Amino acid sequence: MTFKNPELFYLLLIIVPMAAWYIFRQKRNTASIQVSSTASVFKAPKTIRHYLRHLIFVCQMIAIAFFVIVLARPQSSSNWENVTTEGIDIAMVLDISGSMLAEDFKPNRLEAAKNVIDNFVEGRTSDRIGLVIFSREAFTQCPLTIDYSVLRNLLLDIRSGMIQDGTAIGNAIANGVNRLKESDAKSRIIILLTDGVNNAGEVDPISAAEIAKAFGIRIYSIGVGTRGEAPYPVQTPFGTRYQMVPVEIDEEMMTKISNITDGQYFRATNNRALAEIYEKIDKLEKTKIEITSYKNASEKYHSWLWGGLLLLLIELGLSRTILRKLP
């Protein structure tokens, strides 16, 4: 059930002042007398008319609600869909080393990357996505899943310092390959994001790329960082101070990694550029979906209309008549 004009439901707000006015009027019209004791009043039997004295007002409110629903034009529809998908398995490989706290991105590189990855995940529909984080070592934060809410919560929990500092790009790629190598998806990709130079780990990045190629896994690599120097926060006894540090990204190696696997290398120098890169990758690796659908929408509000009219007639006529005849 859908409504063609759902904005008209705001008319239901008229019930609030009407109810307030009704309560105010009831209290104002109540007579008061001074008696020595109210015991006899409370012991007096209450008639059915006393219990149903608010029935007419309640019927009025219900009648108004019915007419608002009619004005909103409720509709019913039938849908048939045939969906054919070509699944994609994606390993998001994210650098969380200390240099990712540099603030040439807002609020810093790591938080900017997390926000863009979150938007990327939100835009997928039927693809399995996993998350690998790395610094001096690499480990799987989330295995391949289609439960995007779990993945996004685990992404939110990522902080720099979870792993000993360093940049093990080769280990990170190897971990991502390990996540994808058993996959039977038509397409398997790694999206590698880093801001540094490989300086740790047991696996050489180029060798890891060759392994990825052997398994048919494509690598999109992204270097994040402005050109030149970037402000980096340093904790001192006097609070946070900033010092300018050089931005060093091994773009030659990153390009070679992507080329070996038939992927692409991108350089992001600010938040907007990073978002555009993920949008480009999203378009390049979008799940193919063929949908054949039939939709038959028809307005089904006549029954609501007659129900509302009938209720209004009961409220205006029969309810008053019944109440008058009650003791």
Side-chain angles (χ1 to χ4, degrees):
M1 178 68 69
T2 58
F3 295 88
K4 190 168 185 178
N5 304 108
E7 66 277 3
L8 293 178
F9 280 115
Y10 285 112
L11 293 175
L12 291 174
L13 294 175
I14 196 174
I15 293 177
V16 177
M18 291 181 67
W21 171 250
Y22 180 79
I23 295 171
F24 172 76
R25 189 178 63 182
Q26 289 294 312
K27 290 184 177 180
R28 185 178 180 183
N29 292 341
T30 301
S32 61
I33 57 175
Q34 295 182 352
V35 294
S36 58
S37 174
T38 59
S40 58
V41 176
F42 285 113
K43 292 180 180 178
K46 293 182 174 62
T47 64
I48 297 177
R49 184 172 183 175
H50 171 78
Y51 289 110
L52 299 180
R53 66 188 186 279
H54 301 302
L55 178 62
I56 294 177
F57 178 74
V58 171
C59 288
Q60 289 175 339
M61 296 300 98
I62 295 175
I64 290 173
F66 263 89
F67 277 112
V68 171
I69 292 173
V70 171
L71 291 174
R73 300 174 72 179
Q75 299 178 333
S76 63
S77 63
S78 300
N79 292 279
W80 293 268
E81 282 189 349
N82 293 320
V83 179
T84 303
T85 66
E86 180 184 318
I88 298 174
D89 282 355
I90 305 171
M92 313 292 293
V93 181
L94 176 63
D95 187 349
I96 63 166
S97 60
S99 59
M100 289 290 288
L101 296 178
E103 297 185 9
D104 47 348
F105 287 64
K106 300 301 179 184
N108 56 50
R109 293 173 187 170
L110 180 58
E111 292 302 318
K114 287 167 57 178
N115 291 335
V116 173
I117 291 173
D118 183 74
N119 292 333
F120 179 87
V121 172
E122 187 179 15
R124 310 305 288 190
T125 54
S126 58
D127 303 321
R128 294 196 306 170
I129 303 176
L131 179 61
V132 174
I133 59 176
F134 72 97
S135 190
R136 180 167 290 276
E137 299 177 5
F139 73 86
T140 302
Q141 177 78 350
C142 180
L144 292 175
T145 181
I146 58 172
D147 191 340
Y148 299 151
S149 60
V150 171
L151 174 62
R152 294 171 72 187
N153 285 332
L154 290 171
L155 176 66
L156 187 67
D157 293 337
I158 291 175
R159 298 289 183 271
S160 181
M162 295 173 64
I163 314 173
Q164 186 179 358
D165 202 19
T167 307
I169 296 175
N171 283 23
I173 295 173
N175 194 307
V177 171
N178 194 46
R179 295 295 98 197
L180 296 170
K181 66 180 182 180
E182 302 296 335
S183 168
D184 57 357
K186 297 289 185 181
S187 180
R188 294 171 292 176
I189 69 170
I190 289 175
I191 302 178
L192 167 68
L193 185 147
T194 183
D195 69 341
V197 177
N198 185 71
N199 57 21
E202 301 78 22
V203 183
D204 176 67
I206 302 301
S207 299
E210 295 286 357
I211 296 171
K213 179 182 179 181
F215 283 103
I217 298 170
R218 190 160 44 255
I219 300 176
Y220 292 97
S221 56
I222 305 171
V224 293
T226 188
R227 300 187 185 278
E229 295 183 333
Y232 186 83
V234 178
Q235 297 300 324
T236 70
F238 305 99
T240 302
R241 297 289 185 269
Y242 289 88
Q243 66 181 32
M244 300 303 292
V245 297
V247 178
E248 298 178 350
I249 300 175
D250 193 343
E251 294 192 274
E252 182 180 350
M253 182 198 67
M254 300 283 281
T255 303
K256 190 172 182 179
I257 287 172
S258 295
N259 289 342
I260 288 172
T261 60
D262 295 325
Q264 291 186 40
Y265 168 71
F266 303 92
R267 176 68 183 268
T269 56
N270 54 52
N271 293 62
R272 182 181 180 84
L274 183 60
E276 290 175 351
I277 288 169
Y278 273 88
E279 289 174 2
K280 186 177 295 185
I281 295 173
D282 182 62
K283 292 177 181 178
L284 289 171
E285 295 290 345
K286 200 69 174 179
T287 301
K288 296 178 182 178
I289 302 177
E290 278 186 16
I291 300 178
T292 303
S293 64
Y294 170 73
K295 184 174 182 180
N296 180 22
S298 58
E299 296 187 9
K300 299 289 185 182
Y301 58 86
H302 297 291
S303 58
W304 296 89
L305 176 61
W306 290 114
L309 288 173
L310 180 61
L311 187 60
L312 184 60
L313 289 174
I314 293 174
E315 178 271 317
L316 292 176
L318 298 180
S319 57
R320 283 191 172 89
T321 303
I322 293 173
L323 287 177
R324 288 194 190 99
K325 293 183 178 180
L326 291 175

